[in-house]
Amino acid sequence: MPSAAGPLSGLLVADFSRILAGPYATMLLADLGADVVKVEGPGGDDTRTWVPPTRDDVSTYYLSINRNKRSIALDLKDRDDLEVAHELVARADVMIENFRPGGLAKYGLDYTSVSADNQRLIYASISGFGSEGGARLPGYDLLVQAMSGLMSLTGPAEGPPYRAGISVFDVMTGMHALIGILAALHEREESGLGQHVDVNLLSSALSGLVNQTGAYVAGGVVPRRMGNAHPSLFPYESLRTADGEMIVIAGNDRQFTTLVRVLGAPELAEDRRFKTVGDRTENREVLRPMLEKLLQAHTRAEWFDLLVGAGLPAGPINTIAEGVEFAAGLGLEPVVRVGEGTDAVPLVRNPIGFSRSEVRYDLAPPTVGQHSEQLRQWLKTREEDR
C-alpha cells in the first residue's frame, strides 16, 4: 500500500467509473489521501482518446481528473480478472461506478451482491437519469444540459440556446457523489455498516439550477434566456466600457449608491426609478444605457481599480489563461506539479485547504494498467500478510 497523506488516509477506493463525474469524485478522494485503484478495461478510460489537446501525446482531459490513482486493467468478461475485481471490492471501503443501471449485476458486482460479502462497503452509483424510468437513457452531460432546462437559460435573449463551456453537471454530480460518500462514511462510524449512495446527473442538474428551478417549482414562473443578465438583480451582468465589456455588480441599494457615485452620477441613486433592487430590475432597459455611457470614460482595467477600490464587485472577462494568471497573482498558487521527475505533470490545485491535514500530489495520472502487476500481487496476499 502506498503512503498517503491527508484526512482520508487509510481508505481504499475501488473506482469502476470512467469519463468525468466518477473520476472527478475519485480524484478528490485521492487528493485527500484515499488509496484509489482505477479499474479500467484493456482499452482504458474513454477520455484517454479525447484529443486534442494533449501533453506528451496524452489527453489533457484524462490528465485533469485522474491524478493520485493507481490503474489496474481488468477484463470483467475474463473469469480470472473478474475474480481479481471481486477481491478488490471485498477489501474496499468505497466502490464507485457509473455503468448503466444494472449493468454490473451480470458480473456479481452490483450493490446487493458485493454488500453481502462486504457489509461495510460504501457503494456509490452515478447515472444520467436515475435507476427507474431513466435507466435506459444514456447519461451524457450535454443531454442533461438540454433536458434539464439549462440550455434554455444559456445564450443571448433572442438567440439560440447554448451549452455551458464545461460539462457542468458531470462535475456537480461528481461532487454530490463525494458528499454522499463522505456522509455515508461518517454514518458508518456509528452503525458499522455501509450503504448504497445513488446520484444522477438530472437530479444534480435540477438541484444545481437553484433559483431557476425554484422560480418554476415555487413561483410557477418559467425562466428564459437573458444573456449575461440576472432575472432578479440589475446591474449584475457585463457592461460596455471604453475598451470592451466587464462584469459590474450592485447586489443591494448600498452598493448601487456607491457604484453611481464612483461613476460620477450620484443622483441616479435618488431617481425613483432606481431606488430599490426591484425598481432597478424593472427598469433595467432604461438604466443600462445610462451606466454604459458613464463607463465609456475609462477602460476595463481602469474601472476595475476604481470599482474594487470602492469595495464593489467588478472584474474583467478573462480567458482561461488570464484566469489562471490572475489566481497566481493573488497568491493562490493554482498550478501544482503532480508526480516525480520526468513523469511529473502540471495540473490545477485541489481547491480545499486544511490547517493540519495535507493534500497529496504524489502520483501522476497513470497509464492503462500501470500498477496491474503490483495490485494483482497485493490482492493475492492473505489478510494476515497485508
Side-chain angles (χ1 to χ4, degrees), residues 101-215:
L104 284 176
K106 60 185 175 183
Y107 303 114
L109 290 170
D110 56 299
Y111 174 67
T112 300
S113 299
V114 298
S115 63
D117 296 323
N118 183 357
Q119 295 186 354
R120 290 178 55 81
L121 179 70
I122 309 301
Y123 186 111
S125 295
I126 299 174
S127 64
F129 297 91
S131 57
E132 298 299 328
R136 63 184 177 84
L137 301 175
Y140 285 83
D141 184 274
L142 181 56
L143 290 176
V144 177
Q145 288 198 34
M147 299 171 77
S148 67
L150 174 65
M151 288 179 64
S152 75
L153 302 174
T154 309
E158 303 304 323
Y162 288 122
R163 66 179 290 269
I166 64 164
S167 295
V168 59
F169 294 137
D170 269 329
V171 173
M172 190 178 294
T173 306
M175 288 192 286
H176 286 163
L178 177 64
I179 292 167
I181 289 167
L182 295 177
L185 285 168
H186 176 74
E187 193 277 340
R188 191 178 73 172
E189 293 298 310
E190 294 293 327
S191 68
L193 298 173
Q195 57 183 304
H196 191 187
V197 175
D198 190 18
V199 296
N200 67 81
L201 272 67
L202 182 57
S203 293
S204 286
L206 296 178
S207 173
L209 285 168
V210 286
N211 58 300
Q212 303 286 24
T213 41

Side-chain angles (χ1 to χ4, degrees), residues 296-348:
Q296 296 301 307
H298 296 292
T299 65
R300 289 170 296 174
E302 291 168 338
W303 280 124
F304 178 65
D305 289 337
L306 289 169
L307 295 175
V308 171
L312 292 168
I317 301 174
N318 288 332
T319 65
I320 294 293
E322 290 168 337
V324 172
E325 291 164 5
F326 179 69
L330 296 178
L332 296 177
E333 300 180 356
V335 180
V336 292
R337 290 191 68 81
V338 181
E340 299 179 354
T342 58
D343 292 332
V345 180
L347 294 170
V348 175

Side-chain angles (χ1 to χ4, degrees), residues 12 57 62 74 107 172 178 197 215 221 230 235 251 298 342 359 364 367:
L12 176 61
D57 296 323
Y62 168 78
L74 298 176
Y107 303 114
M172 190 178 294
L178 177 64
V197 175
V221 174
H230 191 287
H298 296 292
T342 58
V359 176
T367 57

Side-chain angles (χ1 to χ4, degrees), residues 213-233:
T213 41
Y216 171 68
V217 172
V221 174
V222 179
R224 57 185 175 85
R225 275 192 304 288
M226 299 179 65
N228 291 324
H230 191 287
S232 308
L233 289 175

